[in-house]
Amino acid sequence: MGTSIKRSIGIRVACAIIGVLLFSVVTTVNIIRIQDTQDASGQARNVLDHAQAAETAHYKWAANLSNALYAGTEFTGSMDHTGCVLGKWLYSELGMENTTLEQLRAEIEPLHRQLHESASTALSLLATDPAQAQAYYQETIQANLTTLVGKLDDVIALGTALNEASTEEMNSTIMLMQGITAV
């Protein structure tokens, strides 16, 4: 009987140790998942912030150019496509591997470069033919701005979806951890 009590206690101790180890491994894996999800959510918020700031900045840029062409004010916007909010984002390391986002960035880059370069054309035309400069602004620059903003809206929609997916994953991981802890 003495051996069966020792054996019974040994089995219980081994089961307790295995249970604690298993719980520790599952908890560690879930904490790592939460950290990864937080990183992904932060990256998605970063994409959202940059895209929204870029939209606002380019509407202001276009308004500034419009004022220069129609009201004779000085154009203070940038013709350098790498120096604005969007340019800095486009040419930076995003830190997020997403093929759809990379495709959107590839589509945005030439539109964005062309938009900034078109300011130079419009201002050159303004010196010789204000009506032609205004027509160029209406037909070319406004069309390019609309297309660019449409692409930025796609980036915002993608960033929102990625952020929501990260939040869902984090919530499910937390619920899983709560369930495991209760068991």
Side-chain angles (χ1 to χ4, degrees):
M1 187 157 209
T3 33
S4 66
I5 291 175
K6 285 182 182 179
R7 186 171 181 238
S8 176
I9 289 173
I11 291 172
R12 289 180 183 162
V13 168
C15 286
I17 290 172
I18 290 170
V20 167
L21 289 174
L22 185 61
F23 179 76
S24 296
V25 167
V26 169
T27 300
T28 301
V29 166
N30 284 326
I31 288 171
I32 291 168
R33 281 181 60 196
I34 288 173
Q35 289 172 333
D36 291 345
T37 304
Q38 282 180 324
D39 290 345
S41 180
Q43 291 170 351
R45 279 193 310 272
N46 186 31
V47 167
L48 281 170
D49 292 345
H50 278 91
Q52 290 168 338
E55 271 192 16
T56 302
H58 285 82
Y59 277 130
K60 288 179 181 179
W61 179 91
N64 183 277
L65 183 58
S66 175
N67 288 337
L69 297 173
Y70 289 94
T73 62
E74 180 184 353
F75 176 65
T76 58
S78 175
M79 289 186 243
D80 176 18
H81 66 284
T82 62
C84 69
V85 172
L86 182 56
K88 289 177 183 174
W89 177 69
L90 285 172
Y91 300 108
S92 70
E93 289 299 316
L94 185 58
M96 175 180 255
E97 293 183 21
N98 182 291
T99 54
T100 305
L101 183 58
E102 288 303 319
Q103 180 182 351
L104 285 168
R105 283 177 69 174
E107 293 171 12
I108 288 170
E109 195 277 329
L111 283 169
H112 181 245
R113 183 179 343 104
Q114 185 181 22
L115 183 69
H116 278 272
E117 289 172 356
S118 66
S120 176
T121 303
L123 294 171
S124 294
L125 286 171
L126 180 64
T128 58
D129 188 354
Q132 189 178 6
Q134 292 167 356
Y136 179 76
Y137 175 82
Q138 291 299 320
E139 296 164 9
T140 303
I141 295 174
Q142 284 294 86
N144 288 343
L145 179 64
T146 301
T147 304
L148 177 68
V149 168
K151 297 290 182 188
L152 288 171
D153 284 342
D154 292 344
V155 170
I156 290 169
L158 177 63
T160 300
L162 291 171
N163 195 26
E164 289 171 358
S166 294
T167 301
E168 264 185 49
E169 185 176 339
M170 186 176 305
N171 289 338
S172 75
T173 302
I174 290 170
M175 288 178 64
L176 177 66
M177 284 183 70
Q178 290 171 338
I180 290 171
T181 301
V183 169

